[in-house]
Amino acid sequence: MMEWTDRHCRFFHRLLTRRAHIYTEMITTAAVIHGDRARLLAYDPAEHPVALQLGGSEPMELAHCAKIAADLGYDEVNLNVGCPSDRVQHGRFGACLMAEPRLVGDCVAAMKASVKIAVTVKCRIGVDHQDGEGDLEQFTRVVQTAGVDALIVHARKAWLSGLSPRENREIPPLDYERVYRLKTAHPRLAIVLNGGVTDLAQSTSHLARVDGVMMGRTAYQEPWGLIDVDPFLFGLPARFLSPQAVAQALIPYIERELARGTRLNAITRHVLGLFRGMPGTRAFRRHLATEAIKPRAGIETLRAALALVSANEAALVQSSAA
Ligand SMILES: Cc1cc2nc3c(=O)[nH]c(=O)nc-3n(C[C@H](O)[C@H](O)[C@H](O)COP(=O)(O)O)c2cc1C
């Protein structure tokens, strides 16, 4: 998720679930080809399985970037056909590509021809007035014929003018039935549902109708919820018993990164929601928000923030015992 997630966030989320697929934020083909590639595409081996999401619409450029991703060891490359921002529309990619299924098909076919890793597409159920059942059906048929390995569908349409990207994630209504019907019509295509999923119970009920569920904002804002993914969906024991234990497990990674010159806040900003709904969470967030942004903030700042949560936990235990 652009401006929210990055490699530090992915490393942190991977501590919470071994098996969920993790996606990068969208990175444009221009940035991959002409930008600071080593920095943009860096990831930690612990992040697998990890997908690189690309923004672009030039088949040869996408094929080139897919090859770069595969050579770097990414497990999947995903094409963004869902982002409605103006900047993206001017570049003729993102959600506006829903109106050009044939071009998306060419992009998918070019990427498939250049790599062996999975090539997937993330789209909306429609854009503007091209949001009929037939439009999504035609889009899906074209990308399936081009060889797409999975289609991730954000279950709401996007208005390309008039709504901000944020409004386009909230105002157009969610229509899960459309995604279910798409799966019924394409039983051999892996369909992943996205949009408005806020807990594992909802995921489980969607999974009776589609092949996968993608979680965006809730995973970021309430990361501790991810701890249930392994036991509920993959039959594996949860990796940690408490958010404190996850935070402790992140410390060696943070120390490594601090030694490389990474600022503490670049990592701890992703952890602010870890104790959401628990005693001490406000003090934890406040401490990090004011202290971790300081240029020389070190690991002791995180330890002090964590002590605020433990202190609150201890107080709660004492008061309930009294
Ligand atoms: C800040 C922000 C940035 C986002 N950036 C991307 C992106 O880079 N690529 C993408 O496919 N979707 C992006 N999205 C959309 C989410 O992936 C997701 O489709 C949307 O939020 C709906 O799912 P949710 O209700 O689970 O959050 C972004 C969402 C937010 C809130």
Side-chain angles (χ1 to χ4, degrees), residues 80-249:
N80 183 315
V81 186
C83 179
S85 83
D86 284 346
R87 191 175 65 82
V88 161
Q89 282 181 58
H90 289 138
R92 197 177 165 218
F93 56 91
C96 62
L97 288 178
M98 291 227 57
E100 300 191 70
R102 231 185 276 154
L103 176 58
V104 178
D106 292 345
C107 293
V108 169
M111 288 193 282
K112 283 293 291 179
S114 78
V115 295
K116 290 198 172 64
I117 58 172
V119 173
T120 61
V121 166
K122 178 163 179 269
C123 67
R124 298 274 185 146
I125 53 176
V127 281
D128 295 340
H129 294 291
Q130 270 184 287
D131 69 339
E133 200 100 2
D135 296 311
L136 182 61
E137 173 52 35
Q138 195 207 348
F139 179 86
T140 305
R141 207 174 329 116
V142 173
V143 293
Q144 187 172 16
T145 306
V148 81
D149 292 289
L151 189 61
I152 303 164
V153 189
H154 182 175
R156 55 163 65 88
K157 68 178 286 183
W159 287 105
L160 294 180
S161 51
L163 292 187
S164 69
R166 188 192 179 132
E167 288 168 331
N168 258 317
R169 291 190 291 264
E170 282 157 14
I171 292 176
L174 286 161
D175 187 350
Y176 296 135
E177 293 296 329
R178 282 280 290 275
V179 186
Y180 299 157
R181 286 198 294 277
L182 193 68
K183 175 64 200 174
T184 308
H186 297 265
R188 292 157 68 97
L189 176 62
I191 304 267
V192 177
L193 178 146
N194 166 245
V197 179
T198 54
D199 62 34
L200 258 280
Q202 291 170 15
S203 302
T204 312
S205 89
H206 290 307
L207 285 170
R209 313 284 297 271
V210 292
D211 304 286
V213 171
M214 173 184 267
M215 214 186 249
R217 288 165 291 188
T218 297
Y220 189 82
Q221 289 160 344
E222 302 176 29
W224 177 243
L226 294 173
I227 202 72
D228 290 331
V229 169
D230 284 1
F232 280 82
L233 300 182
F234 296 108
L236 296 169
R239 289 196 72 176
F240 296 97
L241 293 176
S242 68
Q244 272 285 351
V246 180
Q248 295 298 334

Side-chain angles (χ1 to χ4, degrees), residues 52-88:
L52 173 66
Q53 187 187 62
L54 291 170
S57 60
E58 218 307 306
M60 285 307 119
E61 287 181 6
L62 283 163
H64 179 48
C65 293
K67 174 89 171 57
I68 291 169
D71 290 346
L72 285 171
Y74 277 92
D75 302 285
E76 172 185 330
V77 62
N78 174 268
L79 177 63
N80 183 315
V81 186
C83 179
S85 83
D86 284 346
R87 191 175 65 82
V88 161

Side-chain angles (χ1 to χ4, degrees), residues 273-318:
L274 181 60
F275 297 95
R276 197 176 164 126
M278 299 176 204
T281 186
R282 282 182 62 186
F284 172 76
R285 291 176 73 104
R286 201 177 316 119
H287 191 79
L288 286 181
T290 52
E291 300 302 319
I293 53 169
K294 294 184 176 163
R296 266 192 272 282
I299 200 69
E300 66 289 347
T301 300
L302 176 60
R303 289 195 203 280
L306 289 170
L308 294 169
V309 202
S310 320
N312 274 280
E313 271 171 4
L316 197 80
V317 172
Q318 274 177 14

Side-chain angles (χ1 to χ4, degrees), residues 254-271:
I254 297 179
E255 287 177 325
R256 254 188 347 259
E257 286 293 328
L258 290 174
R260 296 172 55 185
T262 303
R263 299 268 288 264
L264 181 68
N265 185 55
I267 308 173
T268 54
R269 73 189 186 95
H270 303 300
V271 179

